[in-house]
Amino acid sequence: MKKTIFISALLACFALVSFMPVKLHTDIYKLDTKTSTLEWYASKLSGNHHGTINFSGGEIHNNHNNLTGSVEVDMNTIRNSDISDETYKAKLEGHLKSPDFFDAAKYPKSTFVITSITPVTNSKTEGATHNVKGNLTIKDKTNEITFDAVVNMEPDKISCTGTATVDRSKFDVRYGSKAFFPEIGDKIIYDEFSLKFNLVAVK
């Protein structure tokens, strides 16, 4: 009788343990802002420009290869890379930071919150290993974007490289946009611009 009661109690204990939630361990990787890079590429009817922006911080969370996290960009670090004339270069950079475009004084930070990073096969982006999905916030406007990228996971480092396409009209960036000024004619600046990134996060 005692043996039966002991076995029943033991089985009950095992059953209780089996239904207890398992707490998975999450590794946190800090964005290395010195080695991570972000480049922008924008076009207009009469030509194009490109430049850089600096990351100001971020984290990647790895919960048994389930990756999430966020990165932050300092909008006051917008720089142009294709203009040699320093006066014109400074003028363009100032214009991009002005209320006509990103209004960096009022909205000094933009963020991208990663909601999922999932493996992909047969991607249209050559060499891509994962699809990245998340919420991009610019000028306090948030929209979901998705893109393919190359993701490498190591014990002490996670890297992610790729290019994301952004429609600035969804973030109320109006200057030269046909979405807001249909009659703009040959003064048009295309709404879509590209962000080429190389993220490096370390433990």
Side-chain angles (χ1 to χ4, degrees), residues 90-106:
K91 183 178 179 180
L92 175 59
E93 292 172 350
H95 196 193
L96 291 173
K97 297 174 193 176
S98 78
D100 278 347
F101 284 95
F102 297 102
D103 201 356
K106 186 175 181 179

Side-chain angles (χ1 to χ4, degrees), residues 29 57-58 82 89 130 170-172 187 189-190 193 196:
Y29 297 74
D82 62 88
K89 174 185 169 79
H130 290 72
K170 294 182 178 181
F171 299 91
D172 200 33
K187 302 295 185 182
I189 300 173
Y190 298 118
F193 67 97
K196 183 179 179 181

Side-chain angles (χ1 to χ4, degrees), residues 104-174:
K106 186 175 181 179
Y107 307 101
K109 305 294 182 184
S110 293
T111 59
F112 179 61
V113 178
I114 303 164
T115 55
S116 69
I117 299 180
T118 55
V120 293
T121 56
N122 301 320
S123 171
K124 293 181 180 179
T125 303
E126 185 177 356
T129 60
H130 290 72
N131 177 260
V132 181
K133 184 181 293 185
N135 296 314
L136 178 64
T137 300
I138 300 174
K139 296 178 69 174
D140 282 353
K141 303 290 189 300
T142 302
N143 291 280
E144 183 179 77
I145 64 171
T146 182
F147 49 88
D148 289 346
V150 178
V151 178
N152 290 309
M153 289 182 280
E154 301 175 25
D156 296 319
K157 181 173 72 173
I158 294 176
S159 63
C160 181
T161 60
T163 301
T165 300
V166 179
D167 183 347
R168 68 187 176 98
S169 68
K170 294 182 178 181
F171 299 91
D172 200 33
V173 182
R174 300 187 171 211

Side-chain angles (χ1 to χ4, degrees), residues 26-31 57-63 66-72 111-117 132-136 158 199 201:
T26 299
D27 291 317
I28 298 177
Y29 297 74
K30 296 286 186 179
L31 187 70
E59 290 183 349
I60 303 297
H61 298 171
N62 183 3
N63 188 333
N66 179 27
L67 302 179
T68 55
S70 64
V71 294
E72 185 179 77
T111 59
F112 179 61
V113 178
I114 303 164
T115 55
S116 69
I117 299 180
V132 181
K133 184 181 293 185
N135 296 314
L136 178 64
I158 294 176
L199 297 179

